[in-house]
Amino acid sequence: MNKTVSKVYIAGDHRGVGLKLYLIEMLTAAGYMVVNLGVDDPNVSADYPDVAQTLADAIGDDKNARGIAICGTGAGVMIAANRYRNLRASRCDRPEQARDDRFHDDINVLALAAADIDIEMAFLCVQTFLESPFDNIERRIRRIEKIS
């Protein structure tokens, strides 16, 4: 468990409910402070732009918080999340992507495709995302400042 991560906020649309609930269970068991931002009913339609806004509001200025956003394809929540200056989101399907995106781009939101990833692989991606450091060097900081 990464001790520098203050909280893990997790939100998803109706297509991501099952995956979200599984990840909450696994992350809680691993000792993370997890905040469920909904939705919890797969029969109640939710819009991925609302999921991203909920994450942006929850994370606020907490540099040590991380977010997990889930929709059917992962693309919708990723695009919507990147509209917010305090979020840097990437859709990852493999742990290596999550590691590299943290290292190079300091992503603070992991977008997952509920329809395209099995739950064990999703958890491996989440673990890697939460445990991977940012390569805090000048050129990477400069690039992030241009988008934040």
Side-chain angles (χ1 to χ4, degrees):
M1 181 173 90
N2 185 337
K3 303 283 188 204
T4 63
V5 174
S6 61
K7 288 183 185 172
V8 179
Y9 295 97
I10 186 166
D13 70 4
H14 53 282
R15 292 180 67 192
V17 171
L19 178 57
K20 181 179 66 79
L21 295 175
Y22 170 79
L23 292 174
I24 289 170
E25 180 181 325
M26 297 300 287
L27 289 169
T28 301
Y32 285 97
M33 179 184 289
V34 181
V35 179
N36 180 357
L37 300 174
V39 301
D40 293 325
D41 185 346
N43 299 311
V44 176
S45 182
D47 296 332
Y48 59 80
D50 298 334
V51 170
Q53 182 172 6
T54 300
L55 272 175
D57 292 344
I59 290 174
D61 294 329
D62 186 349
K63 303 279 189 226
N64 294 318
R66 299 288 182 266
I68 300 168
I70 306 168
C71 72
T73 66
V77 291
M78 180 193 70
I79 293 165
N82 282 318
R83 294 179 56 220
Y84 297 92
R85 295 186 83 65
N86 63 325
L87 302 184
R88 289 171 309 284
S90 179
R91 177 184 181 240
C92 297
D93 300 320
R94 295 176 290 108
E96 298 80 14
Q97 288 174 294
R99 180 198 63 221
D100 290 349
D101 292 353
R102 279 283 310 135
F103 189 80
H104 293 282
D105 302 311
D106 196 23
I107 65 166
N108 61 351
V109 174
L110 180 69
L112 295 171
D116 295 334
I117 193 168
D118 68 70
I119 59 175
E120 291 87 8
M121 182 58 71
F123 185 61
L124 288 174
C125 289
V126 168
Q127 282 182 305
T128 303
F129 164 66
L130 295 174
E131 295 171 1
S132 295
F134 170 54
D135 183 33
N136 195 23
I137 61 173
E138 187 273 328
R139 75 173 183 266
R140 300 201 200 289
I141 294 168
R142 181 183 69 240
R143 293 169 186 160
I144 291 167
E145 287 173 348
K146 290 181 178 186
I147 60 172
S148 296

